Amino acid sequence: MFSCDKKQEEKNQELDAKPLLSVVNEYSSVKKVNATFSKDIEEWKELKAVDNFLERFQKVSPKEVLSNALELQDLVKSLRDSAKPTLFDTPSFKARVNIFYNETLRLSDMTSISSIKAEEINLQTEKIIEAFSAVNSKVNSILSKKRFEEEIDIDVKFIGLDSTKIDSVSRKSIKEDALERSIHKKKLDYKEKPRQ
C-alpha cells in the first residue's frame, strides 16, 4: 500500500509539472544598444537578428522557450563566429559573447532533459537575457568611449597622459587625430605662403 501511494504521488507531481511548462511568464527586458549608436551597428546583422529574436522572450511560457532554444543557439553561434566590426574585436567583448553563447548551450541541453522543471527553464531564460544585456552594455560602452575620444581635441602631450597605459583603440585614434592635424596644418601653411 505504501509503494502504491508513492507511485501515485510521483505521477501527480509529473502531472503538476506539465501545466507549469505552459504558464506564460514575463521576463525582464533586454538592455538595448543606445539609439544614438544605431548607425554604428546598422551593418551588424547578426547582433540585430539576436536582438529581434530575444524580443519573443518578453512574455513566453517555458515550453515555448524550449521550442526556440535551438534556433537561439544557432543565432548566437553566428554572432560569435561572425566578422565583427574591428572596434569590437577585443577580449572583453569576446568574453561576453562567449558567456552568452554558453548560456544558450545550457538552454539547448535542457530540451533533451525530460524531467526539467519550469523554474529551471525560467532561471536559464533570465540568465540568457542578462548575458545579452551585458553584450549590449559592452557595445554601448565601447561606442561611448569612441565618441568621447573623437570629441577630444587636446594633444596628449599637454595633459600628461602616460602613453604606455593607453589601450590600442585610444592609441590608434590619437595617432589618426595627430595625422589629421598635421595634414590640416600643412594645408594652412601652404595657403598662407605668398606666391611669387
Side-chain angles (χ1 to χ4, degrees), residues 8-51:
Q8 185 63 34
E9 210 173 283
E10 287 174 5
K11 203 179 260 187
N12 287 342
Q13 285 177 347
E14 282 180 31
L15 290 174
D16 289 344
K18 296 289 183 192
L20 288 177
L21 290 175
S22 300
V23 174
V24 174
N25 290 314
E26 188 170 343
Y27 298 100
S28 56
S29 58
V30 174
K31 180 176 181 164
K32 300 285 187 181
V33 174
N34 290 343
T36 55
F37 303 134
S38 60
K39 202 167 196 171
D40 295 304
I41 60 165
E42 68 186 352
E43 299 295 319
W44 200 356
K45 295 174 185 161
E46 293 82 7
L47 185 70
K48 283 187 172 187
V50 172
D51 188 40

Side-chain angles (χ1 to χ4, degrees), residues 158-169:
F158 298 124
I159 58 174
L161 284 179
D162 183 2
S163 60
T164 61
K165 295 185 179 179
I166 298 174
D167 67 7
S168 61
V169 175

Side-chain angles (χ1 to χ4, degrees), residues 46-47 49-51 53-54 68-82 84 96-105 108 128 131-132 135:
E46 293 82 7
L47 185 70
V50 172
D51 188 40
F53 192 83
L54 280 179
N68 289 308
L70 296 176
E71 187 177 352
L72 177 63
Q73 177 192 337
D74 290 340
L75 287 172
V76 177
K77 185 177 187 326
S78 71
L79 172 66
R80 187 188 71 162
D81 298 339
S82 70
K84 299 166 200 51
R96 282 171 178 77
V97 173
N98 283 334
I99 290 168
F100 180 41
Y101 181 62
N102 288 339
E103 295 298 345
T104 60
L105 287 175
S108 295
I128 286 172
F132 188 60
V135 170

Side-chain angles (χ1 to χ4, degrees), residues 129-143:
I129 290 170
E130 287 173 15
F132 188 60
S133 293
V135 170
N136 284 342
S137 181
K138 189 63 177 175
V139 168
N140 286 333
S141 65
I142 289 172
L143 292 174

